[in-house]
Each structure stands twice: as C-alpha cells, then as structure tokens.
C-alpha cells in the first residue's frame, strides 16, 4: 500500500461542508486509517458552523457552533481562511488567512462545499440601503438596526419594514417581524407598525402548492400586508419604489431575492446550471474533474434520479455525508455509495401563527399551525445540529452515510 500522507480538503463548513468532513473522518475511523496517513482539512471563512436556516429568528446566540467543538473530537483540522482559487490540474487550492495571504494547500481529494450567497441585482439603492438575513452578520445588522428605530426622529415610515422577495426566507422573516417590531416600538407606538411582503409573482407563496392559502391566511391574520405582482425599482434610506411608481415610506427594507452558488464553482471546466452549481453524479463527483466532489448549494445532483437537488439544508446535509464517505472510498479504491432520496418536504415557519408542512414535490398539505410549528422547532433546534457533547462516537454516528426519514409531524388528518 502507498504510505505517502494523503489529504482530503473540504472548502466550507456549512451544512454540506461540516458533514462532508465528519463523513470522511467517520469512514477513516471505521477503516482504522491513522490521521498521519490521510488527513481531513476544512477551510472555512469563519471558525464557526452557522445554522444559517435560523437567521430569520431572534435571538441568534445559539446558531454559531464553534468548529473546534465538533471537528477537534473527530480529528479534523480546520483553517479559518477564504479560498480564492482552485487549480484542479495541480490539485491545490489557494487561500488567505488573516495572518498570511496567498497560501496553497495541496489535495488528493477535494470537496467543494462553499455554499451560496444572496443574489444582489443592480437595482438603485439595493446595495446601500437594504438589509438581509442571508448570513449571521446580515441578520445581526438587521436586528441592531431595528433596535435603534426608537432613537430615530419620528417619520412616516419609521416602523415600516418592507420585505422584498416572498420565497421561503422572505415569508419566514415577514412572519416574525410584527412581534419583533412591537417589542421595539412599545405599546404606545404599535399602531404605527407596518410589515409589507412584496413579490413579483401574482400571489404570495405561489410555488407552495397546497400550503399557499395557508400562508396567505397566516400572514394576513398577523397583520402583514401582502403586495404581490410588483417589481422593485429603487430603494432609498427611507423609502422603496416599485415599477409603475408605487412608493412606500419605509425605514427598513429587507432584500430576500434568492441565492446563487459560490463563485468558486466557476473554477472548474464544467457547464454551470442557472444557479451557478456544478453538476455532480450520484456519488457527488464533479462531472469530468478527477478527484473533485461537491455538495450542498454548490452542487446540482439528480436527487431522486430525476429532479435536481434543491439549494437547502435538507439536501445539503446528506450530500455532505455521502461526499465525505465517497471521497475516502475513492482515495482508497473502495466502492462508493450513490445518494438517492425519494422524499421531499417543506416546513415553513409562519411566526407566532405556527407553521406549515408539505410533502412531495407538488407540496401536498400535511399539517399546519401548532403541529407544524412543533416540527419546525425540532428541526431548527435539534435535528440539523451536530452533537455538541464532544463525543467522537456521537459525531461519527450522526455522520454515517444514510438517508434519514422525513421529519415527524402530527398530520392534519390524524
Ligand atoms: C434565512 C434562511 C432560511 C432558510 N431556511 C431553510 C429551510 O427552512 N430549510 C432548508 O432546507 N434550507 C433553508 N435555507 C437554505 C439553507 O440555509 C442553505 O441551502 C444551506 O445553508 C446550504 O448549505 P451549504 O453548506 O451548501 O452552504 P452554506 O450554509 O452557505 O455554507 C457555506 C460555508 O462555506 C463558507 N465559505 C463560502 N465561501 C468560502 C470560501 N471562498 N472559502 C472558505 N469558506 C467559504 C461559508 O463561510 C459557509 O460557512 C435557508 C436559508 C436562509 C438564508
């Protein structure tokens, strides 16, 4: 056997990257391969695993998991750094750290799991004046701004928040905002609060199948104004304008206009999909790029053999577990495992009203209100977290290349 030290490099420690690294470490442990023979190294922009799906909530204190807590027990090295370039022909990645720019790390197998970021089109004022909940930092900035509203001089839109983009993120955020604004504005100013959810599509929640009427009902019941069929034209520090001239005084505008894969995907000689994702096969190997795997929002996998994976935590976590496992198997000449998931669910938080749970790609309504909310809390606060007790055995058990059952809920028909 070749005994030269080998290295598996993972870019990113989000849902896909963290589970890629743990999946690889688990398989090496199972095979009794010492870490001085094959090491697993993660390069991530921060020293944290961010539970990004919770960024519409407050408080966010519990959403940053220190990488040391979950990677050290598994024997995975982690570098806080930003990958700038990938050279697949030389099998190396270039990255910067705060201490030292322009470093290189060679790999034997690479897993690209650098995720996605909010798309920001060139709409006047969008960069300067909008907030977002795409990252922990973005969500913290929005929260700090809301807390300062009371200190601002009275103005027509002081307690008006316009959320632009009514995808899942925009809906979840809008549903939280009335209660958050009430706690900021206080009782005496609560009648000046407005939360408006705007979107291009003809109906809010258009793509949500059987959940669409539930979403409208829940938002309206919480006093949220729905503004479908509008296109954003311009944002200023105190207003938002839509095509056709509709102008709203608003002290806060939050942009929730969709995600695009990390620009690192463009470093490979492959055709990217419309979201900027690299195509991968059922083993998570990037098409025609030897030694490279991809997982999560960076990768487009036919998840059930027919439909493309969705940029989601739901798909990112299993993609990571299988990518890590397969990177080790590929390196050692062992059989790899194909990933296929034959179920799909959507569980959307609707604030204090509850939540809504759908099944299948056509989104059949399964449960709503308090029952769906209980499921959502279990997902956001337990299911998607890595074990945080420092146990190597627990981390490896959670990283096994298996497909979990759909989240449990008490069905409307039960
Ligand atoms: C508010 C909100 C709510 C959501 N709700 C849901 C939901 O209910 N269900 C669901 O399934 N999905 C949801 N999503 C989507 C989900 O968060 C993403 O699909 C998921 O985070 C993708 O995981 P990932 O690991 O591929 O990428 P990410 O979570 O984006 O992680 C990527 C990691 O890579 C790092 N990174 C990026 N570039 C570099 C680089 N150049 N060098 C080094 N490190 C880098 C980043 O710092 C980050 O740690 C939500 C998203 C948001 C914003």
């Amino acid at each position: 056997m070749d005994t030269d030290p080998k290295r598996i490099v993972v870019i990113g420690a989000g849902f896909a990257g963290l589970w890629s690294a743990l999946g690889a470490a688990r398989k090496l442990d199972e095979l009794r391969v010492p870490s001085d023979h094959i090491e697993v190294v993660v390069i991530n922009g921060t020293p944290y695993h961010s539970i990004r799906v919770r960024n519409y909530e407050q408080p966010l204190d519990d959403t940053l998991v220190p990488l040391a807590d979950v990677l050290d027990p598994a024997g995975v090295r982690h570098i806080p750094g930003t990958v700038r370039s990938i050279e697949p022909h030389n099998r190396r990645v270039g990255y910067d750290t705060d201490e030292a720019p322009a470093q290189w790390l060679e790999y034997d197998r690479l897993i690209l799991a650098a995720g996605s970021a909010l798309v920001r089109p060139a709409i006047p004022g969008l960069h300067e004046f909008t907030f977002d909940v795409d990252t922990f930092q973005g969500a913290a900035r929005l929260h700090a701004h809301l807390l300062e509203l009371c200190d601002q001089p009275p103005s027509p839109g002081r307690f008006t928040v316009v959320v632009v983009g009514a995808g899942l993120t925009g809906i979840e955020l809008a549903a939280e905002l009335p209660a958050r604004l009430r706690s900021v504005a206080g009782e005496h100013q609560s009648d000046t609060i407005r939360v408006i959810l705007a979107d291009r599509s003809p109906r809010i929640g258009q793509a949500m199948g059987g959940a669409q009427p539930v979403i409208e009902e829940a938002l309206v019941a919480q006093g949220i104004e729905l503004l479908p069929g509008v296109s954003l034209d311009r944002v200023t520090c105190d207003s938002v304008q839509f095509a056709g001239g509709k102008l709203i005084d608003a002290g806060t505008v939050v942009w929730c206009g969709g995600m695009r894969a990390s620009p690192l995907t463009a470093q490979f000689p492959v055709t990217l999909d419309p979201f900027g994702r690299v195509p991968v096969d059922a083993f998570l190997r990037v098409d025609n790029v030897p030694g490279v795997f991809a997982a999560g929002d960076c990768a487009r996998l036919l998840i059930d053999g027919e439909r493309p994976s969705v940029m989601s935590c739901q798909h990112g976590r299993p993609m990571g577990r299988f990518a890590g496992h397969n990177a080790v198997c590929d390196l050692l000449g062992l059989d790899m495992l194909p990933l296929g998931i034959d179920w799909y669910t959507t569980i959307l938080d609707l604030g204090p009203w509850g939540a809504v749970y759908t099944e299948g790609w056509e989104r059949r309504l399964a449960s709503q209100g308090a029952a769906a909310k209980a499921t959502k809390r279990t997902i956001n606060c337990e299911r998607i977290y890595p074990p945080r007790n420092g146990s190597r055995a627990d981390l490896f058990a959670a990283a096994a290349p298996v497909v979990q059952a759909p989240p449990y809920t008490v069905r409307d028909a039960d």
Side-chain angles (χ1 to χ4, degrees), residues 11-17 43-45 52-53 55-56 81-83 113-116 133-134 169 172 259 264 295-297 311-314 347 376:
I11 304 175
F15 294 107
I43 307 175
N44 191 57
R52 184 180 172 198
V53 301
N55 286 343
Y56 67 93
T82 300
V83 173
S116 61
V133 290
D134 193 44
T169 302
E172 289 190 325
M259 305 186 291
L264 287 176
D297 285 4
M311 292 167 97
S312 64
C313 160
Q314 178 177 170
I347 301 106
K376 183 72 176 179

Side-chain angles (χ1 to χ4, degrees), residues 27-172:
K27 186 62 182 169
L28 291 169
D29 183 74
E30 181 186 271
L31 296 170
R32 306 260 183 278
V33 177
S35 58
D36 58 358
H37 181 45
I38 302 179
E39 71 162 350
V40 182
V41 183
V42 173
I43 307 175
N44 191 57
T46 67
Y48 299 102
H49 170 65
S50 167
I51 305 293
R52 184 180 172 198
V53 301
R54 295 186 63 184
N55 286 343
Y56 67 93
E57 297 179 27
Q58 273 299 325
L60 292 180
D61 313 3
D62 197 36
T63 66
L64 293 183
V65 179
L67 289 178
D69 291 359
V70 288
L71 293 181
D72 289 356
V76 174
R77 184 154 74 93
H78 43 102
I79 301 171
T82 300
V83 173
R84 300 278 178 222
S85 61
I86 302 169
E87 293 185 354
H89 50 289
N90 292 323
R91 295 204 176 203
R92 63 177 193 166
V93 300
Y95 67 98
D96 301 333
T97 65
D98 284 347
E99 293 77 36
Q103 305 197 58
W104 292 97
L105 190 66
E106 294 179 349
Y107 64 80
D108 295 282
R109 293 293 178 275
L110 176 69
I111 303 174
L112 177 66
S116 61
L118 182 65
V119 176
R120 293 174 202 273
I123 294 171
L126 188 124
H127 282 78
E128 301 91 316
F129 300 118
T130 62
F131 292 85
D132 69 80
V133 290
D134 193 44
T135 59
F136 175 88
Q137 289 76 13
R141 189 174 147 258
L142 169 65
H143 188 56
H145 166 80
L146 294 179
L147 291 179
E148 283 167 6
L149 288 176
C150 264
D151 302 330
Q152 293 179 6
S155 66
R158 177 159 62 142
F159 293 114
T160 298
V161 182
V162 179
V163 177
V164 186
L168 305 187
T169 302
I171 292 171
E172 289 190 325

Side-chain angles (χ1 to χ4, degrees), residues 357 359 365-368 371-372 375 407-414:
Y357 185 133
E359 292 173 325
L365 188 60
S367 79
Q368 58 183 296
T375 306
Y408 172 77
T409 193
V410 177
R411 286 156 189 287
D412 281 357
D414 284 356

